[in-house]
Amino acid sequence: MSVLLLTHRACLHHDPGPHHPECPDRLRSVLKALDAGEFADLIRDQAPLATIEQLIRVHPENYVSAILGIRPEPDERVPLDGDTLMSWGSAEAALRAAGAAVAAVDAVMKGEVRRAFCATRPPGHHCEPGRPMGFCLFANAAIAARHAQAAHGAARVAVVDFDVHHGNGTQACFEADPSLFYASSHQWPLYPGTGDVSERGVGNILNVTLPPGADGAAFRAAWADQIIPALEEFAPDLLVISAGFDAHAADPLAQLRVREADFAQVTEALCGVAERHCGGRVVSLLEGGYDLEALGRSAAAHVRALMRA
């Protein structure tokens, strides 16, 4: 199965500072895991820069200008909120992360590959149209979805999210548009405090909450019993995965007990939906995951499933 891996060295230059969990070593851990011989068949390419046109399909132009206008000195960091900071390399990293999502959509929609994984940072699913938050500067998954519609004529695009934190940003971008679907499994209660099951948008939002301590069986059941059937009913033309791995039992920022095999099983189920409804087209974007060893192993399990499913 042809799978594209998109990344860029510039994504290592986004540095929120010492002891910040969303650190450059996260990306190094993922790329090291994907350097193993079993991943030799990945098609590897560099993430391009997103264009302003691509970004403003989701974000107001003044927001984009404001973010790209923040260019700290090499030893300086600019806080945007209590969790989200920009360093000298953050603007380019954010453009590369969004650009990878766009390039991945182009590759799968043109039939050049069946699936793509974007190993980039900063993540994106907490970023709302006009507000950065939760380590995120641009809403990468939403940008991917809107690009699929604008550039490739996709009528329906789904984003599904297994990060342990609710993707409030993606939900905010989607909740008024029935041509878009967003589903998330996440720990509840937990940051950012959104993602209650009552949040339904225009019938296109599905939130499945898991209590602290929930294990892999509960995680798999949430997907098999609720999210997969809803996704089948939506029948997307493209499936985008917000692939956060912080539901792992070793992760320091949450209290779920998911393991690598659980991420792999859910990935395989999602690929099955894609095969039935959208020619196998899947774009996966790295979101969270803050235990470095668990992140590397989990990302490898996810990409392995993308390659074989």
Side-chain angles (χ1 to χ4, degrees), residues 5 9 13-14 78 84 86 93 108 110 124 161 164 178 189 196 202 217 219 225 236 251 257 282 288 294 300:
L5 172 64
R9 184 171 182 80
H13 299 154
H14 166 58
V78 175
T84 312
M86 290 184 68
V108 301
K110 292 176 182 177
D161 187 338
V164 80
D196 186 79
V202 290
F219 173 78
D225 297 344
D251 199 274
R257 296 188 290 118
V282 175

Side-chain angles (χ1 to χ4, degrees), residues 108-185:
V108 301
M109 295 302 290
K110 292 176 182 177
E112 297 169 356
V113 296
R114 300 289 299 286
R115 295 166 192 158
F117 178 65
C118 298
T120 53
R121 52 182 293 278
H125 73 152
H126 291 308
C127 182
E128 298 179 351
R131 179 169 69 148
M133 61 181 290
F135 314 159
C136 303
L137 302 180
F138 294 128
N140 301 323
I143 290 166
R146 287 303 190 192
H147 181 69
Q149 293 183 317
H152 299 283
R156 297 177 307 282
V157 181
V159 173
V160 294
D161 187 338
F162 52 69
D163 192 283
V164 80
H165 303 94
H166 177 244
N168 60 292
T170 310
Q171 179 171 300
C173 294
F174 281 20
E175 59 191 356
D177 188 341
S179 74
L180 301 168
F181 174 83
Y182 176 70
S184 171
S185 68

Side-chain angles (χ1 to χ4, degrees), residues 205-251:
I205 304 295
L206 175 60
N207 290 306
V208 182
T209 59
L210 296 167
D215 62 8
F219 173 78
R220 293 193 306 271
W223 287 83
D225 297 344
Q226 297 188 62
I227 297 177
I228 295 295
L231 188 59
E232 297 269 17
E233 183 176 354
F234 183 74
D237 299 311
L238 172 69
L239 177 60
V240 179
I241 303 174
S242 277
F245 300 104
D246 40 7
H248 195 283
D251 199 274

Side-chain angles (χ1 to χ4, degrees), residues 33-54:
L34 298 180
D35 276 341
E38 65 179 302
F39 299 108
D41 289 339
L42 287 172
I43 301 167
R44 298 169 188 261
D45 206 352
Q46 298 292 298
L49 296 166
T51 67
I52 301 301
E53 178 186 9
Q54 291 159 358

Side-chain angles (χ1 to χ4, degrees), residues 15-93:
D15 185 2
H19 314 299
H20 195 287
E22 210 292 279
C23 60
D25 281 344
R26 296 183 61 244
L27 181 55
R28 292 187 181 100
S29 294
V30 170
L31 295 177
K32 181 179 178 181
L34 298 180
D35 276 341
E38 65 179 302
F39 299 108
D41 289 339
L42 287 172
I43 301 167
R44 298 169 188 261
D45 206 352
Q46 298 292 298
L49 296 166
T51 67
I52 301 301
E53 178 186 9
Q54 291 159 358
L55 298 176
I56 64 175
R57 293 183 182 127
V58 170
H59 300 288
E61 192 165 3
N62 62 352
Y63 172 81
V64 173
S65 298
I67 291 296
L68 297 182
I70 299 172
R71 299 288 178 137
E73 295 297 320
D75 58 349
E76 181 188 11
R77 292 174 183 87
V78 175
L80 305 182
D81 66 13
D83 301 307
T84 312
L85 301 94
M86 290 184 68
S87 67
W88 69 270
S90 298
E92 182 179 352

